[in-house]
């Protein structure tokens, strides 16, 4: 049985149009699934729906989110929070706003372990120290006493990754974890996430618009267009022979660093028209 | 870069220490007023009325800052007036802050119907003209220390509520709040552990500003004789009395005015200085 199973999930802006249309996807234990799509396709919304942090203006209109055998949407809010908190974590998009600016790094990592999971302070501190070492932060003991603004964006993202793995979650949602970072730092962060994922055997739902990232980190992927999954396949199949014409066009639109003279290939209008018609009427 | 930051810190430091020194002095003066004051602030002596301060010709050196038209010692009255001024400032500003900050935090973080309720309430509240409102209030419940404090709280809580609501809203949209929610923290826990520490610098600034405002409001109400009895020494009351004899005895007006001015200035500068100290990014 899959660890996470999203079944026919639909959501919309209150009083507005649909954001997610009948989305289904699964994440197995230890699997890394990429969730790709254009801006506004709803890829972040799926991650947020799973974690229960959808904006208030968004309402779920149907479907199920089954986490480890329990449909989260049928749980009362408090029970849901406990369930999600015990088995899931988030690596957020923007490391600059994802750490509380007025609290020391160490407290931010250990607080949740102590308060919510009931660890002893000592155990939590040892854990934080070990994790910061694992994400290759030099002088972790000093960093634990520092404030977020004293650290670079890359450092902060490392800390957020460490923090996400702190409670040994079964599933981590990474919401475009490298988008806000410098290109040279992106690669290191990706490697780090992949390494930690492999070592801890954590399932990962990797939200991104970068197909290059998907090819490096993920095993399977779901392609989203306007809130609907248009293709669900393994990474090997997708990059070898995409099934859906939109996927093929998206792949062709990826800039090729090896051939700069090719320029940028936009997704053709005809493909967009076809996929839009399919999503809205099919 | 490093140099600029250093300068910002130094300037903030001087401001902070100067204003803190003045306010600490006032606190000491207020606490030990009976031991410090050279005379009884209420004792009248019509034979030594309108004596000038000590350095002017014709002064009686035992009345350091001179006497008013009833022969009461100006310095002693300022010293005892400190008690009322600081008392009103601390109590009214604290109560205002607690009420305003609590409502602002709830409205800004919980949003929804709480926000609608609080925001509309603020809008309606702010449509009342504040000075008329306070005078009306005191006319109804009668003058006195309690009335002044109540008037300040009733008028000024919206100042806190509005600013803190906006800040709580901005902080609530940050990713660290989402992370805390995923980790399993409840709404109220997030409000206390994540949001409040970030709103605290603003609360401190508003609180000290409010103390300055409270000192002014108390002085204004004393000026129009709506504070406590005219016999009791208040800075506003002294300014009001001094106004009638400004041409014969300027010192009755000027010394309480300077004290008032320095105090209000110190409160606002203390607020700014503390904000720089509290703000982890500037620290």
């Amino acid at each position: 049985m899959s660890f996470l199973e999203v079944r026919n999930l639909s959501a919309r802006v209150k009083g507005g149009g649909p954001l997610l249309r009948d989305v289904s996807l699964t994440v197995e234990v230890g699997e890394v699934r990429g969730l790709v799509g254009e801006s506004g396709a709803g890829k972040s919304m799926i991650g947020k729906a799973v974690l229960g942090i959808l904006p208030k203006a968004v309402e779920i209109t149907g479907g199920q989110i089954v986490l480890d055998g329990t449909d989260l949407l049928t749980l009362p809010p408090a029970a849901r929070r406990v369930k999600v908190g015990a088995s899931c974590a988030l690596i957020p998009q923007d490391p600059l706003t994802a750490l509380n600016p007025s609290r020391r790094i160490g407290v931010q990592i250990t607080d949740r372990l102590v308060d919510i999971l009931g660890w002893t302070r000592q155990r939590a501190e040892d854990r934080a120290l070990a994790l910061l070492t694992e994400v290759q932060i030099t002088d972790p003991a000093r960093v634990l006493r520092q404030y977020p603004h004293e650290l670079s964006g890359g450092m902060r993202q490392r800390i957020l990754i460490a923090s996400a793995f702190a409670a040994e979650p079964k599933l981590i949602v990474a919401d475009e974890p490298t988008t806000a970072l410098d290109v040279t730092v992106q690669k290191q962060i990706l490697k780090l996430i992949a390494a930690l994922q492999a070592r801890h055997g954590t399932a990962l739902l990797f939200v991104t618009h970068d197909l290059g990232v998907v090819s490096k980190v993920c095993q399977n992927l779901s392609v989203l267009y306007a809130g609907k999954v248009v293709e669900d396949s393994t990474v090997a199949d997708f990059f070898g022979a995409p099934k859906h014409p939109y996927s093929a066009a998206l792949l062709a639109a990826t800039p090729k660093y090896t051939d700069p003279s090719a320029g940028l290939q936009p997704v053709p209008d005809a493909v967009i028209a076809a996929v839009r018609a399919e999503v809205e009427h099919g | 870069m490093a140099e600029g930051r250093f300068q910002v810190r130094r300037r903030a430091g001087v401001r902070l220490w100067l204003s803190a020194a003045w306010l600490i002095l006032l606190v000491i003066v207020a606490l030990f007023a009976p031991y410090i004051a050279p005379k009884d602030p209420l004792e009248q002596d019509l034979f030594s009325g309108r004596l000038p301060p000590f350095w002017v010709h014709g002064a009686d050196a035992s009345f350091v800052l001179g006497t008013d038209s009833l022969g009461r010692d100006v310095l002693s009255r300022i010293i005892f007036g400190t008690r009322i001024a600081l008392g009103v400032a601390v109590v009214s500003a604290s109560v205002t802050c607690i009420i305003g900050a609590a409502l602002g935090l709830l409205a800004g973080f919980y949003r929804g119907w709480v926000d609608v309720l609080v925001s509309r309430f603020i809008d309606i509240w702010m449509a009342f003209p504040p000075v008329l409102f306070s005078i009306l209030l005191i006319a109804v419940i009668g003058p006195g220390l309690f009335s002044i404090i109540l008037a300040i709280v009733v008028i000024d809580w919206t100042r806190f509520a509005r600013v803190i609501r906006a800040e709580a809203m901005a902080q609530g949209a940050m990713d660290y709040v989402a992370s805390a929610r995923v980790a399993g923290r409840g709404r109220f826990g997030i409000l206390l552990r994540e949001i409040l520490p970030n709103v605290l610098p603003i609360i401190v600034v508003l609180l000290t500003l409010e103390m300055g405002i409270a000192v002014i409001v108390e002085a204004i109400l004393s000026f129009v004789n709506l504070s406590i009895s005219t016999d009791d020494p208040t800075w506003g009351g002294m300014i009001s009395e001094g106004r009638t004899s400004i041409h014969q005895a300027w010192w009755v007006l000027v010394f309480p005015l300077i004290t008032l001015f320095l105090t209000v200035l110190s409160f606002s500068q203390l607020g700014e200085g503390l904000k720089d100290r509290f703000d982890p990014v500037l620290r």
Side-chain angles (χ1 to χ4, degrees):
Chain A
M1 190 187 59
S2 312
F3 184 69
L4 170 72
E5 203 172 337
V6 177
R7 290 188 199 132
N8 309 102
L9 186 70
S10 297
R12 59 166 190 167
V13 180
K14 278 174 193 162
L19 280 174
L20 299 177
R21 308 170 204 243
D22 225 10
V23 169
S24 295
L25 59 86
T26 60
V27 182
E28 307 295 326
V29 174
E31 177 190 348
V32 183
R33 173 170 291 271
L35 200 50
V36 297
E38 304 174 11
S39 301
K43 48 194 192 305
S44 283
M45 284 300 150
I46 295 174
K48 286 182 174 156
V50 170
L51 298 175
I53 50 172
L54 280 175
K56 277 196 171 161
V58 177
E59 61 178 347
I60 290 173
T61 49
Q64 292 171 308
I65 300 173
V66 182
L67 184 77
D68 202 12
T70 319
D71 182 4
L72 294 178
L73 299 180
T74 61
L75 290 180
R80 179 177 181 180
R81 212 168 56 221
V82 172
K83 174 97 184 149
V84 170
S87 56
C88 302
L90 168 73
I91 300 177
Q93 177 169 4
D94 183 2
L96 301 186
T97 65
L99 287 166
N100 190 329
S102 62
R103 311 185 68 205
R104 290 174 201 276
I105 301 294
V107 183
Q108 296 197 43
I109 300 177
T110 57
D111 237 21
R112 289 164 196 176
L113 301 177
V114 174
D115 286 4
I116 296 161
L117 301 177
W119 291 24
T120 62
R121 174 75 42 201
Q122 186 59 45
R123 183 179 165 210
E125 274 168 15
D126 292 347
R127 176 83 178 143
L129 204 61
L131 274 163
L132 288 199
T133 314
E134 200 174 339
V135 294
Q136 295 153 16
I137 282 176
T138 45
D139 201 356
R142 194 171 74 95
V143 171
L144 284 177
R145 291 191 306 272
Q146 285 182 308
Y147 287 92
H149 73 271
E150 298 175 278
L151 306 167
S152 69
M155 284 273 265
R156 288 188 225 184
Q157 192 58 289
R158 281 167 198 270
I159 287 161
L160 288 165
I161 291 166
S163 185
F165 281 94
E168 289 290 352
K170 301 247 173 44
L171 170 72
I172 289 179
V173 176
D175 188 0
E176 308 211 22
T178 57
T179 313
L181 298 173
D182 196 81
V183 180
T184 51
V185 184
Q186 281 187 7
K187 202 174 163 191
Q188 302 168 13
I189 295 293
L190 277 180
K191 270 189 183 162
L192 196 64
I193 294 178
L196 262 80
Q197 185 275 330
R199 203 173 311 144
H200 295 256
T202 317
L204 194 59
L205 186 60
F206 203 103
V207 178
T208 180
H209 59 249
D210 189 338
L211 287 175
V213 168
V214 171
S215 69
K216 288 194 192 75
V217 190
C218 305
Q219 290 138 22
N220 302 302
L221 86 168
S222 302
V223 181
L224 234 67
Y225 184 84
K228 192 171 177 64
V229 177
V230 293
E231 174 154 1
D232 182 344
S233 65
T234 68
V235 165
D237 285 352
F238 178 84
F239 286 95
K243 286 181 290 232
H244 197 279
Y246 175 71
S247 304
L250 205 60
L251 205 51
T254 312
K256 288 158 198 69
Y257 301 110
T258 47
D259 184 13
S261 61
L264 290 173
Q265 302 292 324
V267 177
D269 289 348
V271 174
I272 291 180
V275 71
R276 183 166 293 158
E278 179 191 324
V279 164
E280 278 168 10
H281 305 294
Chain B
M1 177 67 207
E3 207 178 298
R5 189 170 149 167
F6 180 67
Q7 278 176 357
V8 166
R9 264 196 67 164
R10 257 187 64 167
R11 225 179 28 234
V14 171
R15 275 201 314 210
L16 183 63
W17 293 121
L18 276 182
S19 50
W22 174 255
L23 292 172
I24 288 167
L25 179 74
L26 283 189
V27 170
I28 293 169
V29 164
L31 287 177
F32 301 105
Y35 307 103
I36 295 172
K39 306 274 176 184
D40 180 343
L42 300 180
E43 191 191 315
Q44 303 183 3
D45 179 0
L46 293 177
F47 291 110
S48 49
R50 291 182 186 164
L51 286 175
F54 69 91
W55 67 86
V56 178
H57 180 72
D60 177 344
S62 66
F63 297 101
V64 179
L65 296 181
T67 58
D68 64 9
S69 49
L70 295 175
R72 295 174 298 192
D73 182 35
V74 170
L75 178 61
S76 302
R77 285 180 74 74
I78 289 178
I79 287 173
F80 274 87
T82 308
R83 292 187 145 185
I84 293 164
L86 284 193
V88 169
V90 170
V91 174
S92 62
S94 306
V95 176
T96 310
C97 173
I98 290 167
I99 294 174
L103 286 176
L105 278 173
L106 291 177
F109 183 61
Y110 283 87
R111 309 299 307 275
W113 63 267
V114 185
D115 188 24
V116 172
L117 209 67
V118 173
S119 296
R120 289 301 84 76
F121 196 47
I122 292 173
D123 289 344
I124 294 167
W125 207 262
M126 282 170 53
F128 288 106
V131 176
L132 286 184
F133 198 35
S134 57
I135 290 174
L136 187 74
L137 192 81
I138 290 170
V140 172
I141 59 178
L145 223 46
F146 177 73
S147 311
I148 295 172
I149 291 171
L150 191 69
I152 293 170
V153 172
V154 156
I155 292 162
D156 268 355
W157 69 271
T158 54
R159 188 196 310 269
F160 281 81
R162 272 183 313 151
V163 175
I164 288 164
R165 171 181 169 269
E167 184 63 20
M169 226 151 81
Q171 295 293 337
M174 298 280 186
D175 273 351
Y176 68 82
V177 172
S179 298
R181 264 170 79 188
V182 172
R185 258 206 208 294
R187 307 277 288 163
F188 194 65
I190 291 176
L191 186 62
L192 285 188
R193 303 295 292 267
E194 309 282 342
I195 306 274
L196 188 59
N198 285 296
V199 182
L200 208 54
I202 295 177
I203 292 182
V204 170
V205 175
L206 285 176
L207 180 65
T208 48
L209 276 180
E210 185 62 36
M211 287 185 183
I213 291 168
V215 170
I216 291 182
V217 170
E218 192 273 326
I220 291 173
L221 292 175
S222 303
F223 192 82
V224 295
N225 272 331
L226 282 175
S227 185
I228 52 181
S229 87
T230 46
D231 240 14
D232 283 329
T234 62
W235 297 344
M238 294 176 75
I239 294 169
S240 169
E241 285 160 24
R243 186 179 53 100
T244 57
S245 59
I246 179 95
H247 297 295
Q248 299 86 35
W250 54 267
W251 52 90
V252 183
L253 175 86
V254 167
F255 291 120
L257 200 60
I258 291 173
T259 316
L260 183 75
F261 171 78
L262 283 178
T263 307
V264 176
L265 186 68
S266 294
F267 272 125
S268 70
Q269 293 307 302
L270 181 75
E272 287 297 315
L274 283 180
K275 187 187 75 175
D276 295 348
R277 271 298 144 100
F278 269 118
D279 194 329
V281 182
L282 284 178
R283 178 160 40 199

